[in-house]
Amino acid sequence: MKFKILLLFGLICFSCTTKKSKESSPTAGEVNILVDSNLQNIMDQQKEVFERNYPYAKVTLIYLPAIDIVKKFLLDSNEIIILSRSLDSTEIKYLQSKTYVARHYELARSAVAFVTNKNNSDTAVTFESLRQLALIKGNSNGTFVIENASSGISQYLLKKFNETQFSSQVFAAENKDKIIEYLDQNTNAIACFDWSEISDSDDPRAKNILSRVKLLAVSRPVDSTQFGFIYPYQYNLQDNLYPFCRDIYFISRSGKSDLGLGFASFIAGEIGQKIMLKAGLLPKYLEVKKLLATLK
C-alpha cells in the first residue's frame, strides 16, 4: 500500500513537471514558428541572439515556401508564422470565420534583389524588361530564374507584375545553389533573391553568393516617379524608392503572451532592430530611419 502511494505521488509530480515544461512565457518555454524560407539568413541570426539572451527559451524555426506556410496557418494547428507579406482580406476573413484573430507585427523592410552572371556586361535593368523576361514566351533576351513557384518571392513578383503565372520558359531551380550554378552557365540569365540573403557582406553565406554573382540596379515602372537605376540599399528602402520593397511580418493567432510573442518583441526591440540594421535591412523604428537619413 505504501509503495502504491509513493508511485501515485511520483506520477502526480511527473505530470506537474511535464505540464510545467510545456508552459510558455515571453522569455521561456518552447515554440515552433513557420518561416518563409527566403528569410532564413536573417531569422537564424535573430534566433541565435535571442536564445543566447534567454537560455530557457527554445525557438524552433521551420523554413518552408510561403504558400505552404499560409495553408498550414489557415488550416492546421500552426499558430505563428513569419512572412514577407501580410495576410490578405480573404485570408483574414477565413480566420475570422473560425473565430481566430490574426495579429500582425511589422519587423523590418527587405526587398527582392536581382542578380546576374559576373561576366554579364549589364549593370542595370528596367522594371519593364524584368516583367517581359519573366512573363513573355519566346523571349530571346535571356532567362529569368526563380527558386520555386511556391516561394514568397515568386508570389510577390506575380502580384507586382499583375499576372497569375510566369512564362513556361522561366527556369525554376530546386534551391539557391542551383540558381547560382545556372547563372554560372548562362551569362544573360537574371535571378532573384530576398535582399536579406545577400545584404550582409560580413555573413559567410552572403559573401559566397556575392562572390559569384553581380547585383543589378533596377528602374521604377515608367508610370511612376523616376530616380534612375536603384540598388536595394537601406536608404533606398526607406521611402520605397527601390521598386521591389517588401516588409517582413510576424503573424500570430494564438492570442497569448507566449514565447512566440516574446520572440517577436525581441526582434522589434533594440537588439533585434540593430541586427536588422547590421544586416542591411530597414528596421521599422522611426529613430533608426532618421539615423539612416544621415547616412545618405
Side-chain angles (χ1 to χ4, degrees):
M1 182 67 179
K2 185 177 180 181
F3 173 76
K4 289 182 179 180
I5 293 174
L6 289 173
L7 179 61
L8 179 60
F9 178 76
L11 289 173
I12 292 173
C13 290
F14 175 78
S15 175
C16 292
T17 303
T18 304
K19 183 178 180 180
K20 185 176 180 179
S21 66
K22 291 182 179 180
E23 291 177 353
S24 174
S25 75
T27 57
E30 299 181 7
V31 65
N32 294 334
I33 303 176
L34 303 185
V35 184
D36 187 333
S37 56
N38 297 137
L39 302 175
Q40 183 166 354
N41 267 22
I42 186 64
M43 287 305 149
D44 277 352
Q45 293 178 49
Q46 296 283 3
K47 165 186 157 68
E48 180 183 352
V49 179
F50 178 76
E51 291 184 339
R52 193 186 308 154
N53 279 269
Y54 302 103
Y56 297 104
K58 174 62 177 176
V59 178
T60 300
L61 302 179
I62 303 168
Y63 295 102
L64 295 170
I67 287 182
D68 295 338
I69 289 175
V70 173
K71 286 180 180 177
K72 289 179 177 295
F73 187 68
L74 296 179
L75 303 176
D76 296 338
S77 58
N78 299 281
E79 296 183 321
I80 305 171
I81 61 176
I82 297 176
L83 287 178
S84 289
R85 70 170 179 88
S86 60
L87 297 181
D88 62 33
S89 58
T90 301
E91 292 160 349
I92 291 173
K93 287 179 181 178
Y94 177 83
L95 287 174
Q96 289 174 342
S97 73
K98 302 293 183 181
T99 68
Y100 290 123
V101 176
R103 295 185 289 175
H104 288 69
Y105 304 89
E106 291 182 80
L107 303 177
R109 178 165 296 158
S110 185
V112 175
F114 297 89
V115 298
T116 188
N117 183 290
K118 277 281 191 182
N119 298 318
N120 191 330
S121 59
D122 292 332
T123 58
V125 62
T126 65
F127 181 96
E128 286 70 30
S129 294
L130 286 172
R131 187 179 189 281
Q132 184 180 44
L133 194 62
L135 302 174
I136 298 180
K137 297 179 180 179
N139 199 317
S140 59
N141 296 325
T143 309
F144 193 69
V145 189
I146 58 176
E147 186 168 346
N148 65 64
S150 297
S151 72
I153 288 180
S154 298
Q155 298 305 304
Y156 168 84
L157 290 177
L158 286 174
K159 184 175 181 180
K160 195 77 174 178
F161 293 144
N162 196 28
E163 291 290 340
T164 57
Q165 62 182 15
F166 292 107
S167 161
S168 58
Q169 292 177 300
V170 167
F171 179 74
E174 296 176 19
N175 51 52
K176 294 172 186 64
D177 290 336
K178 294 295 183 182
I179 288 178
I180 297 173
E181 287 177 14
Y182 190 91
L183 291 180
D184 285 340
Q185 300 166 13
N186 297 271
T187 306
N188 294 325
I190 294 177
C192 48
F193 291 97
D194 188 274
W195 177 233
S196 65
E197 297 178 287
I198 57 176
S199 58
D200 185 356
S201 59
D202 292 330
D203 180 76
R205 290 174 291 188
K207 274 185 176 180
N208 178 56
I209 295 175
L210 290 171
S211 69
R212 299 175 63 182
V213 302
K214 178 193 292 185
L215 179 65
L216 293 170
V218 185
S219 69
R220 293 167 62 85
V222 292
D223 59 351
S224 62
T225 304
Q226 296 300 306
F227 296 94
F229 289 94
I230 308 167
Y231 288 101
Y233 300 144
Q234 279 171 325
Y235 51 83
N236 290 327
L237 304 183
Q238 180 174 350
D239 298 315
N240 285 316
L241 297 184
Y242 183 73
F244 293 94
C245 295
R246 61 184 196 151
D247 294 330
I248 300 173
Y249 288 87
F250 174 95
I251 307 172
S252 172
R253 60 174 176 83
S254 74
K256 304 171 185 175
S257 180
D258 53 13
L259 183 58
L261 188 60
F263 185 54
S265 299
F266 173 82
I267 299 174
E270 183 179 1
I271 297 176
Q273 292 292 282
K274 284 182 178 179
I275 292 172
M276 295 294 190
L277 182 68
K278 167 63 175 60
L281 305 186
L282 181 71
K284 279 294 178 175
Y285 283 107
L286 182 62
E287 292 80 3
V288 179
K289 290 184 180 180
K290 289 180 178 178
L291 173 62
L292 286 173
T294 67
L295 302 178
K296 290 186 179 181

